[in-house]
Amino acid sequence: MREPTPTEAIDLVGRFEAGQEIPERMRADVRMLGSLLGRVLRESGSPGLYEDVEALRVATIQAYTDETAEAFARAEAIADSFTVQRADEVARAFTCYFHLANLAEEHQRVRILRERDGRPEREDAADSVAAAFVRLAAEVGDDTALRRLQALRFHPVFTAHPTEARRRAISASIRRLAALLDEHERSAHGGADERRAERRMIEEIDTLWRTAPLRPEKPSPTDEVRAIMAVFDETLFTTVPHVYRRVDDALQGPAAGGRAPVVRPFVRVGSWVGGDRDGNPFVTASVTRKAAAIASEHVLLGLERAASRIGRGLTLDAATTPPSDALRGLWQRLKDADEDAASEVAKRSPDEPHRRVVLLLARKIAATRTRNADLAYRAPDELLADLRTVQDSLVEAGAPRQAYGHLQQLIWQVETYGFHLAELEVRQHSAVHAKVLAEIESGAPLSEQAHEVLEVFRVVAHIQKRYGPRAAGRYIVSFTQSADDLAAVHRLARHAVGEDAVAPVLDVIPLFETFADLQAAPRILAEIVEHPEFAARLAATGRRLEVMLGYSDSSKDVGPVAANLALYEAQQRIAAWAEGEGIELTLFHGRGGALGRGGGPANSAVLAQPPHSVDGRFKLTEQGEVIFARYGDPAIAMRHIDQVAAAVLMASAPSNEARNSAAAERFADVAATMDVASRARFFALVKAPGFAPWFATVTPMEEIGLLALGSRPARRGLSVESLEDLRAIPWVFAWTQARINLAGWFGLGTALESVGDEARLRSAYDEWPLFRTLIDNVAMSLAKADARIARRYLELGDRDDLAALVVEEMELTRSWVVRVTGATELLANKPVLQRAVKLRSPYVDALSLLQLRALRALRDAPAEASAPDPEQQRLLLLSVSGVAAGLQNTG
């Protein structure tokens, strides 16, 4: 196949982009940003770089659209023809392009959300909390619906693994570009402001290009804590109260803001960052203490600034807005405690009693942050009481707008975040607890690990005393396999603090991860609630219990299909047990960003849960790049929280529970057939002799461990002889990088083939939410895979039998998914998602081809080589980062 002429190349690229039906304004953004990147490559890249990038871009687009062996071979030949140094530059150029394309897509999402909000009839109202309340009220009545709304809980828990493949410096550059793109859109076409914005964008893109894309070393756990704080500071602290306000506005109409809100804070934020020590030796008790201190510093600074801002604005004269007796009493107490500041404030606000009080409250918040014992609040409840005194005084004085305006938002922030910001959770492996208890009971001198485990409990006690009981106290036990694994936590806590000291208040949470553990969960729970300390905690909390389910390891254990079905059944059985015991159950979903780890749209997953397994409470882990995708922009964060919370409210509607229950019963035989068939197919692959080292050969699994993604080690052992020692994240990440995505779909084709009845499977897709969610997620996973490139990776190994098994199952699954959805191609029923995948695919292909050449060079290196070729290794790692940006996930 001949190389296209420059004119033909331009026409080819134009036809490809036009065929993706991109919204015109997004197309203009992509074109402008791509053009600016091209200018930077010409100015700052080495001679000929721009031309080489364009040659590979055109070739991969042609290979993607033609689907001929000749076109693919030509793209491969171009990628292989570069020197290693040039390949390095080309990989960086494509990665920069993905960052810009992702930015344009995010900007389009924000644009749509803003336009919806600006219309009299909001288009997104159908899946908002306000709309869910109306639908729920129609089923259960207004009073019951209001009680459920006021008991609603959405509890995302941020984790550090995997952190984003991109560096924080890259993320910061992209955020600056986002602001410039916004400025560019608001400026007059052809005007000075537009030209200035473009000039500054070129400068920022040049900075992005010149910034080293790979971290020089792994971040420390404390670095990870500070990275998460950026999300709170820039988005969540102000966005969450705006979500409450939006719901209250919708429910109360014109009266909103002039009377007490009907909405109660329904978001609780948790964090494992600095608390999750399962398999991470770098997370110590000292790190956990620092994590709590850093989070408290951030939230108290935010509360202080908000109170100061509100105080400065409360210029209400005593003649028009007289203070209540309670407010006068509060002022006197504040004045007695801080005479100099009170005198200064009184001079500036002589007849503005509400202003004076709130400004002194800001001083008390500052004293809490700086640990000034004479002025500091002891607990957030004290601050809330003072703020409500101000609020009540304003209401009594006839100023409800001021009472329920900005002041209400500050109250919501304190109720949501306290003085701790995020509820820090500790996680540790059950085997570690057993080992330490054995040491203690043997009477021998304790090991360093044992001292560290015991110190964690003392740190939790300190955090609770310093920042309040909500600041820490949830203790998750990984690989819970018996009631003894949970009772061990209380025994260790008692050893840690001694018999005479007060032990920390602990909510011990079992984490059921493997297939066998999921099946054993109800039995284990029935045993542990009889344990004295567990029973006492249940009584103290009104019989509330939290249970965590692991999506990652269960999927790696039995395959994605059987794992999904096992998780549904486990939830069903646990929920039935809890209901029978009068326990208020919260299921904690350990979902990852990738589909092989329970990823996918959270709101559809919530609505597919078994009856009584949600009941207005939904808790899940938010991991890695998902955190910044869902919570990095205020408008997108508001939309995400509103959507998921709406699904949580509707999940327990009688109609939704009846639908899920009836469908699960109606298609029980389908589930049983799929379970057996998918597991057998999955085991045929992963239990084949030599599978683990073969997997490490045909994917960049080993090399991923060299990426400075996060502080946590990629595997538990030193070798890859056993999948049990491999963590779920690199398992998923490696298959994703190889463009196979096996962890998200393998076994489904065989499962559907075993059922065989296409009409019945289509009925299941239409009527059974769990099945529909499974099929849609697999469709997305397969759409991001590429069979031609996958074959090239599989050829790196010497096991044709395993390679054939993977390819055969991929083709079978793709065929059945298309048939079950009644479409002609993958994602045909999700055009926006399909467009995004198709638009990126040829550019991801370019990076995959560069990764393949580096991987081949590393695999073909002489056995006697003392170390891998550093240039080839760098190229590989650059391509890994770029592919992650293009596919928009790591693991």
Side-chain angles (χ1 to χ4, degrees):
M1 175 176 283
R2 69 176 179 82
E3 182 177 346
T5 66
T7 302
E8 289 171 337
I10 292 170
D11 184 52
L12 173 68
V13 172
R15 287 199 316 273
F16 169 72
E17 292 180 346
Q20 307 315 311
E21 299 180 1
I22 308 170
E24 188 50 46
R25 285 184 293 177
M26 178 180 164
R27 186 193 305 277
D29 289 340
V30 172
R31 190 180 297 125
M32 177 190 65
L33 292 169
S35 175
L36 295 179
L37 174 61
R39 183 169 164 184
V40 165
L41 295 179
R42 288 190 188 95
E43 293 175 356
S44 302
S46 61
L49 172 62
Y50 174 78
E51 290 73 20
D52 283 345
V53 168
E54 281 297 290
L56 185 55
R57 180 168 84 111
V58 170
T60 51
I61 288 175
Q62 189 169 30
Y64 185 79
T65 52
D66 289 359
E67 295 187 354
T68 61
E70 294 84 358
F72 186 73
R74 184 173 168 275
E76 272 191 301
I78 292 174
D80 290 343
S81 70
F82 300 141
T83 64
V84 179
Q85 293 77 15
R86 175 48 56 86
D88 181 303
E89 284 190 294
V90 172
R92 287 174 52 210
F94 275 96
T95 302
C96 280
Y97 172 80
F98 279 129
H99 291 321
L100 298 178
N102 292 343
L103 170 61
E105 190 173 76
E106 180 180 287
H107 188 69
Q108 176 67 12
R109 290 173 64 195
V110 172
R111 180 188 283 137
I112 291 169
L113 292 173
R114 287 174 179 167
E115 288 174 353
R116 284 175 176 168
D117 284 345
R119 292 173 187 153
E121 297 293 332
R122 289 220 342 255
E123 291 181 4
D124 66 340
D127 55 359
S128 66
V129 171
F133 174 81
V134 172
R135 293 200 304 277
L136 184 63
E139 292 193 39
V140 301
D142 290 350
D143 291 345
T144 300
L146 183 59
R147 281 198 303 272
R148 291 190 183 183
L149 173 65
Q150 293 181 335
L152 179 67
R153 281 288 179 272
F154 170 47
H155 194 153
V157 178
F158 292 175
T159 79
H161 57 277
T163 44
E164 285 196 297
R166 66 189 186 192
R167 292 178 58 201
R168 282 179 66 190
I170 300 291
S171 298
S173 181
I174 293 166
R175 292 263 67 86
R176 292 192 295 270
L177 274 167
L180 290 171
L181 190 58
D182 206 36
E183 182 182 317
H184 181 270
E185 184 166 35
R186 291 196 306 268
S187 59
H189 183 64
D193 288 345
E194 184 184 61
R195 291 194 297 273
R196 182 171 59 252
E198 284 196 16
R199 176 183 56 76
R200 291 172 63 197
M201 276 194 279
I202 294 174
E203 178 185 347
E204 193 60 59
I205 292 171
D206 192 52
T207 298
L208 182 66
W209 163 250
R210 293 173 183 272
T211 300
L214 301 177
R215 295 183 182 94
E217 58 187 25
K218 285 179 176 287
S220 70
T222 306
D223 292 332
E224 292 170 334
V225 172
R226 296 191 186 281
I228 291 293
M229 288 301 107
V231 178
F232 288 117
D233 293 346
E234 297 168 16
T235 305
L236 283 181
F237 184 72
T238 53
T239 295
V240 169
H242 283 313
V243 173
Y244 303 152
R245 178 67 72 194
R246 169 182 275 183
V247 177
D248 202 62
D249 286 349
L251 295 181
Q252 298 216 67
R259 64 186 185 195
V262 297
V263 173
R264 293 177 185 167
F266 55 76
V267 176
R268 290 291 182 270
V269 180
S271 176
W272 282 9
V273 188
D276 179 14
R277 61 242 312 124
D278 177 14
N280 190 342
F282 307 111
V283 177
T284 62
S286 173
V287 166
T288 301
R289 186 189 291 257
K290 286 178 186 174
I294 291 168
S296 180
E297 168 79 13
H298 279 255
V299 72
L300 286 169
L301 191 58
L303 293 173
E304 176 192 341
R305 288 169 176 167
S308 296
R309 186 176 62 253
I310 292 166
R312 289 194 299 271
L314 277 176
T315 54
L316 312 178
D317 191 81
T320 62
T321 318
S324 66
D325 290 342
L327 191 84
R328 289 193 189 95
L330 175 57
W331 166 253
Q332 189 60 49
R333 292 194 299 275
L334 293 169
K335 181 180 176 183
D336 291 345
D338 197 1
E339 289 185 4
D340 291 344
S343 176
E344 181 62 30
V345 167
K347 284 181 187 177
R348 288 187 278 119
S349 313
D351 297 308
E352 298 164 345
H354 296 91
R355 185 174 194 262
R356 291 188 306 187
V357 167
V358 175
L359 288 174
L360 284 190
L361 296 186
R363 290 258 309 167
K364 277 181 71 68
I365 298 170
T368 306
R369 180 172 58 83
T370 58
R371 305 188 70 174
N372 180 341
D374 291 337
L375 290 179
Y377 282 111
R378 288 172 298 177
D381 286 348
E382 294 180 357
L383 171 59
L384 279 172
D386 287 350
L387 291 173
R388 289 199 173 103
T389 297
V390 177
Q391 189 175 58
D392 292 345
S393 178
L394 288 167
V395 172
E396 286 180 33
R401 291 287 173 190
Q402 286 71 30
Y404 300 120
H406 290 300
L407 182 62
Q408 177 61 51
Q409 293 193 200
L410 176 57
I411 289 172
W412 278 331
Q413 285 169 320
V414 179
E415 289 176 319
T416 300
Y417 298 120
F419 289 168
H420 57 277
L421 188 57
E423 299 174 18
L424 187 61
E425 302 188 353
V426 172
R427 183 171 73 134
Q428 183 56 281
H429 199 289
S430 60
V432 173
H433 296 149
K435 181 181 176 185
V436 173
L437 277 172
E439 283 189 39
I440 292 170
E441 290 164 2
S442 73
L446 296 184
S447 65
E448 185 178 338
Q449 182 186 45
H451 282 295
E452 174 61 33
V453 166
L454 294 175
E455 181 62 19
V456 170
F457 293 99
R458 293 187 278 268
V459 165
V460 170
H462 161 79
I463 292 169
Q464 291 181 349
K465 184 178 179 181
R466 174 75 180 86
Y467 308 110
R470 278 179 52 202
R474 285 185 172 87
Y475 196 111
I476 295 136
V477 181
S478 297
F479 284 90
T480 296
Q481 298 181 321
S482 70
D484 286 344
D485 289 338
L486 301 174
V489 176
H490 290 292
R491 291 168 63 193
L492 287 166
R494 177 53 55 204
H495 281 296
V497 301
E499 291 297 329
D500 299 327
V502 177
V505 178
L506 296 174
D507 289 305
V508 182
I509 300 169
L511 170 49
F512 300 112
E513 299 179 79
T514 67
F515 182 75
D517 295 344
L518 288 170
Q519 291 185 313
R523 174 184 56 77
I524 295 170
L525 292 170
E527 288 179 25
I528 195 59
V529 294
E530 299 299 323
H531 186 275
E533 285 173 294
F534 247 85
R537 186 59 186 152
L538 275 177
T541 61
R543 294 189 68 75
R544 292 177 183 164
L545 180 67
E546 209 167 285
V547 176
M548 186 172 183
L549 305 173
Y551 286 66
S552 307
D553 282 283
S554 58
S555 181
K556 184 166 71 75
D557 191 25
V558 293
V561 179
N564 267 276
L565 296 171
L567 283 159
Y568 185 91
E569 183 186 359
Q571 291 176 69
Q572 202 171 35
R573 294 170 61 216
I574 293 169
W577 167 82
E579 189 177 23
E581 293 289 324
I583 287 172
E584 183 182 296
L585 174 71
T586 297
L587 286 173
F588 181 8
H589 301 263
R591 292 159 56 93
L595 297 173
R597 304 187 60 237
N603 51 329
S604 59
V606 172
L607 290 169
Q609 302 306 308
H612 306 298
S613 65
V614 177
D615 278 350
R617 300 173 297 278
F618 188 67
K619 185 177 179 184
L620 81 165
T621 51
E622 299 278 33
Q623 305 188 357
E625 72 286 341
V626 169
I627 295 173
F628 294 91
R630 291 178 176 167
Y631 302 97
D633 179 90
I636 292 172
M638 284 184 69
R639 171 69 169 150
H640 172 68
I641 293 169
D642 199 15
Q643 273 189 313
V644 178
V648 174
L649 192 60
M650 280 304 297
S652 303
S655 59
N656 191 71
E657 290 200 332
R659 182 188 182 197
N660 285 334
S661 180
E665 187 175 338
R666 188 160 57 251
F667 297 106
D669 60 323
V670 172
T673 300
M674 290 175 62
D675 174 43
V676 173
S678 68
R679 261 191 294 158
R681 185 67 158 176
F682 186 73
F683 292 158
L685 178 68
V686 301
K687 293 185 182 296
F691 170 79
W694 174 79
F695 162 63
T697 301
V698 301
T699 71
M701 191 281 292
E702 292 281 2
E703 289 76 12
I704 285 169
L706 301 174
L707 266 179
L709 287 179
S711 65
R712 195 182 189 206
R715 58 176 182 253
R716 295 182 176 91
L718 298 175
S719 71
V720 70
E721 292 302 316
S722 168
L723 283 186
E724 283 71 26
D725 288 332
L726 180 67
R727 297 196 180 282
I729 292 163
W731 164 256
V732 174
F733 196 179
W735 285 121
T736 303
Q737 285 288 316
R739 303 296 298 284
I740 298 172
N741 288 350
L742 181 142
W745 55 262
F746 192 88
L748 179 63
T750 294
L752 297 175
E753 179 91 354
S754 296
V755 175
D757 187 337
E758 188 173 328
R760 183 153 167 74
L761 289 170
R762 284 196 184 185
S763 295
Y765 183 74
D766 292 335
E767 301 167 21
W768 186 13
L770 176 70
F771 185 77
R772 187 182 191 93
T773 300
L774 173 63
I775 295 294
D776 286 348
N777 284 344
V778 167
M780 179 160 52
S781 184
L782 285 171
K784 291 184 177 184
D786 186 285
R788 294 173 304 173
I789 290 176
R791 286 188 177 93
R792 294 294 192 269
Y793 279 92
L794 296 173
E795 287 167 2
L796 295 170
D798 58 358
R799 293 291 299 275
D800 292 345
D801 56 331
L802 298 182
L805 187 60
V806 171
V807 172
E808 181 185 328
E809 186 66 20
M810 179 187 279
E811 292 172 350
L812 184 64
T813 304
R814 186 183 296 270
S815 169
W816 268 105
V817 166
V818 170
R819 289 156 65 187
V820 167
T821 56
T824 55
E825 59 179 339
L826 293 171
L827 299 179
N829 58 341
K830 295 184 179 295
V832 175
L833 182 58
Q834 185 188 57
R835 178 192 72 214
V837 172
K838 284 188 173 182
L839 182 63
R840 284 178 169 78
S841 289
Y843 299 97
V844 180
D845 292 352
L847 283 161
S848 293
L849 293 176
L850 293 172
Q851 184 178 116
L852 268 166
R853 61 165 282 176
L855 202 54
R856 283 194 202 101
L858 292 169
R859 296 290 182 267
D860 293 343
E864 62 272 14
S866 58
D869 183 331
E871 290 186 330
Q872 297 288 0
Q873 197 169 72
R874 173 181 161 80
L875 174 58
L876 180 73
L877 297 181
L878 283 170
S879 67
V880 167
S881 178
V883 170
L887 296 178
Q888 293 186 294
N889 66 42
T890 50

